[in-house]
Amino acid sequence: MLQLLQAGLSFLVLLALAAGFCMLRGVSGAAAPLLAVSTVVVFFTWAAVLGVMRPAGWVFIGLVAALLAWGIIKRRDVLAKKLASPGFVLFAALGLALLLTFGARQPVFTMWDEFSFTGPAAKLMVLHDASYAVVPHGIRFTLTEVPGPIVFNWFMQFFGSEFSQWQLYWAFDLILIACALAPLAAVKPGNWRLWVPLAAAGLLAPFFFSLGNSTVVLATAYLSAYRDLLGGMLFGGALAVYFAVRKAGAGGLWQAALPLAALALTKENVVPVALVAAGVMTADLLFFGTRGALTPEAGGLLAKTGARLKFPARLPGWLKDVAGRLAFGVFWFGAILAVYLPWTRHASAAAAQNPLYAASGGQTNMSLVKAVTTGVSQLVGAAPRSAPMERVLYELSHLFVGDAIVGDGLAPGTYKVSMAGSPLATLLLIAAIAVLAVVLAAPRREKLRGALCGGLLLGGCAAYHLMLVINWAVYSHSREVDGVVDYERYTGTYFAGWFLVALTLLALAAQERQPAGTGKLARAGVLALALLMVGRFGALVRPGYSLVNFSQSHFSVERQRMDTAARVAARVPEGRQVFFVCQGGEAGIEWWAYHFYLLPAVLNDSYNAGGDFVPPGPDYDHGIDAAGIGAYLEENALDYILVDRLDQVFIDNYGMLFAGNLADFDGAPALYEKGADGLYARVEI
């Protein structure tokens, strides 16, 4: 109950901030929650870089309270009207419903990224009120990750004293909901025939682009702390806000900068996606912006805001206007760099002092610039293609059309990235929505705008895939990663955002007063899409894999590990490290799970083996003998060994390190402590 109250206080502050945005001219009730979420991400990322998160939190709350009080006194009529809009009401209602649901069910982490980075980073940030890059224990992947969603989770747990896994799920879902409802900013609140199916389609989008690939990875994808889907939804949310406000004049265009900045802080691989979004906005404003809306001479935005942008008197009017539009493009790109660059410098400085980083896979044998030039030269035939490049292109050509390649454990034709099916089928669905929006747009000018947007996003999709190919075949290959990895996650990021943009453009077409009933056709298209998504959701989402009826048995193993970790932490003295053994583990995920559960205590990296050890011999090229492990334990003063699972191979080859040759191990997780004789004896936990 206390956690619910603490989380509820943070949610009230977030709603108050969204209400503050509602008081600004040109901000709709549907866009306000996304602006509030983005502001929290940007503000507290800067606070983390400066090392003032806790005091900045109290200052932030005070400012929000003052803003809300001013709005109630001065603009209560405007405030009441916007707070009653469908987008704002849905965000508040769904956020509260999820808070109560997760608070009662309390799901916990089960997946790789949740234990390897997102969970530890979020936990350390909550425990220390500081950037996870500089906390005393350090964290791996500091240099290769960005903190946006983790920072947002920190604020949503601001009033608590302990880290909560279920609250991180809730915080991430708040971001998804805010993005899903952003297209409603393009719809008049009273047009319920349009906003109801539009909201349904937007809110089902996270399911559509995550659970749809359950034939590839059987996982509760919507209940995960993976940030790929967040990046895709923020991509679409930022562009949805832009297209919703562009007709209102230049005064509202600043709104798109906030979700753009938050997008750049979501995950390292979506920074190029943020640049694509900024490029689409800039191109649209450059070619189709309202003449004179930005220049000081026309009394436009730059004059109203006091911006000191002066043009030579001899310049023709059209050139001044173009310069004003480009200035706004610089502003959007600048919003991305203003948060991304300070964080990367902060992370680089922290990583240089982090002894864990060298062993984390964070270093590569090739610079990013060289990787790009090498990859492009191989693709265009200027240089011979390497074996990794040939393999990546072969696998990608099959996966894109949905034909699962031999050797990945899937039957041909089952590869999916969405509920529409393969990447090709998903692309065709999004293209169909975009083409329908262009065809049904009223003025010819709007048709051209839609066509330009679609063409740029298609080109951005190709560029994004080029980045993935270079990463798999060149950049990651230098770190011994071969072939296509997690393609459905990465490509789903782009498709989810593109889908929201196409949906927004179709909604705008449905809003226009058009001849021959084309507006009705657009509304029918939105309704048909919503019904299609509802049908696919009902057909493909298995019982126990939706948002509210997930099975508690899914978390039973992790709850047992959490209990073991709590008992180990109570036994091990503060400041001591623990060595970990888990034979036959699932690629080291057990090591990462216990590493997360034991924080802020430290689980030793277990000889870089993830807790799974093999003896030297003809069948192994990385075997470790008992003398090697013994020396490592001695050098690192490791007086405690946590054994999660054993096999006979370990007992035969390493049992001499333990009192009784491990005869007392009964299959349950056990803690062993080093005795006076130098052997490890089992202790009660």
Side-chain angles (χ1 to χ4, degrees):
M1 179 59 71
L2 180 59
Q3 283 186 335
L4 282 175
L5 293 175
Q6 293 167 341
L9 285 175
S10 294
F11 190 43
L12 285 176
V13 175
L14 184 68
L15 291 177
L17 178 59
F21 277 110
C22 285
M23 292 181 289
L24 301 179
R25 183 172 300 174
V27 178
S28 72
L34 179 55
L35 300 184
V37 167
S38 303
T39 299
V40 169
V41 170
V42 172
F43 182 88
F44 287 107
T45 295
W46 267 101
V49 169
L50 297 174
V52 292
M53 293 191 74
R54 175 58 60 169
W58 290 114
V59 171
F60 184 82
I61 291 170
L63 292 174
V64 170
L67 177 64
L68 183 62
W70 175 84
I72 293 174
I73 296 172
K74 296 292 186 179
R75 307 202 67 184
R76 66 173 63 92
D77 293 340
V78 174
L79 185 60
K81 182 178 180 180
K82 291 187 178 180
L83 294 187
S85 65
F88 193 96
V89 171
L90 280 172
F91 178 79
L94 291 174
L96 179 59
L98 285 184
L99 173 61
L100 297 176
T101 299
F102 288 164
R105 307 293 304 279
Q106 299 202 353
V108 297
F109 299 156
T110 61
M111 300 174 72
W112 179 272
D113 280 16
E114 296 173 330
F115 294 127
S116 62
F117 172 73
T118 307
K123 185 176 183 178
L124 289 174
M125 185 170 281
V126 169
L127 294 179
H128 293 279
D129 291 321
S131 162
Y132 58 76
V134 298
V135 294
H137 307 287
I139 190 170
R140 303 183 181 208
F141 313 117
T142 294
L143 191 58
T144 56
E145 299 292 347
V146 286
I150 298 168
V151 167
F152 182 72
N153 166 75
W154 172 85
F155 180 73
M156 300 312 294
Q157 300 196 37
F158 180 82
F159 294 100
S161 58
E162 297 181 356
F163 174 75
S164 171
Q165 297 177 58
W166 68 263
Q167 283 183 252
L168 184 137
Y169 282 137
W170 173 61
F172 281 21
D173 281 338
L174 287 177
I175 301 175
L176 291 176
I177 295 170
C179 296
L181 295 175
L184 268 66
V187 179
K188 297 176 182 178
N191 191 355
W192 65 269
R193 289 183 177 86
L194 181 56
W195 73 252
V196 169
L198 186 63
L203 291 170
L204 285 176
F207 292 99
F208 198 80
F209 289 96
S210 59
L211 289 174
N213 62 41
S214 60
T215 55
V216 180
V217 179
L218 186 58
T220 51
Y222 195 80
L223 273 176
S224 83
Y226 280 37
R227 291 162 293 140
D228 306 87
L229 185 59
L230 290 177
M233 295 296 286
L234 276 166
F235 173 41
L239 284 170
V241 169
Y242 168 77
F243 285 118
V245 302
R246 65 180 183 176
K247 287 188 175 181
L253 296 181
W254 61 269
Q255 297 175 46
L258 287 171
L260 267 181
L263 171 61
L265 291 169
T266 304
K267 200 177 180 188
E268 190 74 23
N269 67 291
V270 301
V271 175
V273 178
L275 297 177
V276 169
V280 170
M281 296 177 193
T282 303
D284 180 83
L285 185 65
L286 180 62
F287 291 104
F288 298 103
T290 304
R291 182 176 295 276
L294 299 174
T295 58
E297 289 82 358
L301 179 67
L302 295 176
K304 294 177 182 177
T305 57
R308 298 183 179 181
L309 181 62
K310 302 297 182 182
F311 298 115
R314 295 181 179 178
L315 284 180
W318 68 269
L319 190 57
K320 296 177 183 179
D321 195 61
V322 168
R325 301 183 195 190
L326 289 177
F328 223 101
V330 171
F331 168 68
W332 284 320
F333 282 101
I336 296 173
L337 299 179
V339 290
Y340 180 72
L341 292 181
W343 171 261
T344 55
R345 290 171 182 169
H346 165 77
S348 297
Q353 305 298 321
N354 186 353
L356 293 174
Y357 188 70
S360 70
Q363 296 180 351
T364 139
N365 299 325
M366 183 180 295
S367 69
L368 181 60
V369 173
K370 185 177 180 180
V372 171
T373 56
T374 301
V376 172
S377 63
Q378 290 184 22
L379 285 172
V380 300
R385 288 181 179 175
S386 64
M389 177 64 76
E390 292 286 359
R391 176 177 174 179
V392 166
L393 293 177
Y394 169 78
E395 292 183 3
L396 196 59
S397 65
H398 283 266
L399 296 178
F400 187 77
V401 298
D403 182 16
I405 58 176
V406 176
D408 64 2
L410 297 174
T414 62
Y415 196 91
K416 299 179 180 179
V417 300
S418 76
M419 290 185 181
S422 67
L424 178 60
T426 304
L427 176 62
L428 292 176
L429 173 64
I430 296 172
I433 300 170
V435 169
L436 183 64
V438 170
V439 171
L440 298 180
R444 180 173 177 270
R445 180 185 180 86
E446 293 304 310
K447 295 180 185 292
L448 293 175
R449 294 183 90 162
L452 175 66
C453 173
L456 291 175
L457 288 175
L458 180 61
C461 185
Y464 183 67
H465 276 73
L466 173 63
M467 180 199 73
L468 294 178
V469 168
I470 292 174
N471 179 59
W472 287 318
V474 183
Y475 191 61
S476 291
H477 183 68
S478 63
R479 290 176 282 162
E480 299 179 357
V481 176
D482 201 2
V484 174
V485 180
D486 291 332
Y487 175 55
E488 70 282 350
R489 286 172 51 197
Y490 297 146
T491 193
T493 296
Y494 197 94
F495 285 149
W498 193 359
F499 173 83
L500 281 186
V501 177
L503 188 63
T504 303
L505 293 177
L506 185 58
L508 285 170
Q511 284 279 98
E512 299 293 339
R513 294 181 179 178
Q514 302 170 357
T518 51
K520 293 181 179 179
L521 288 177
R523 288 194 293 274
V526 175
L527 178 60
L529 178 62
L531 292 176
L532 170 66
M533 295 178 71
V534 170
R536 296 296 287 170
F537 176 85
L540 296 180
V541 176
R542 308 173 187 183
Y545 279 73
S546 69
L547 185 60
V548 295
N549 69 329
F550 48 85
S551 172
Q552 291 292 348
S553 63
H554 184 74
F555 308 107
S556 58
V557 172
E558 296 309 327
R559 295 193 191 280
Q560 292 172 7
R561 288 176 181 159
M562 291 168 62
D563 178 67
T564 300
R567 289 185 279 117
V568 169
R571 174 77 190 204
V572 176
E574 184 176 353
R576 306 298 289 274
Q577 293 191 44
V578 180
F579 193 74
F580 182 67
V581 175
C582 181
Q583 292 298 98
E586 298 178 12
I589 192 171
E590 294 88 352
W591 186 95
W592 286 107
Y594 277 110
H595 163 259
F596 165 70
Y597 295 139
L598 285 172
L599 285 172
V602 177
L603 190 68
N604 185 270
D605 72 351
S606 298
Y607 219 83
N608 292 321
D612 194 359
F613 301 93
V614 295
D619 296 330
Y620 305 104
D621 58 3
H622 59 285
I624 306 168
D625 59 20
I629 291 182
Y632 181 82
L633 295 171
E634 184 70 26
E635 292 171 4
N636 291 273
L638 295 171
D639 296 333
Y640 293 90
I641 298 179
L642 173 59
V643 177
D644 183 68
R645 185 165 58 243
L646 288 182
D647 59 10
Q648 195 60 43
V649 171
F650 186 92
I651 295 174
D652 292 342
N653 289 273
Y654 310 110
M656 66 285 295
L657 299 173
F658 297 82
N661 200 39
L662 289 169
D664 55 356
F665 184 74
D666 56 6
L671 182 67
Y672 290 81
E673 182 178 6
K674 188 174 184 179
D677 58 358
L679 299 178
Y680 290 84
R682 184 167 182 171
V683 295
E684 292 298 323
I685 56 174

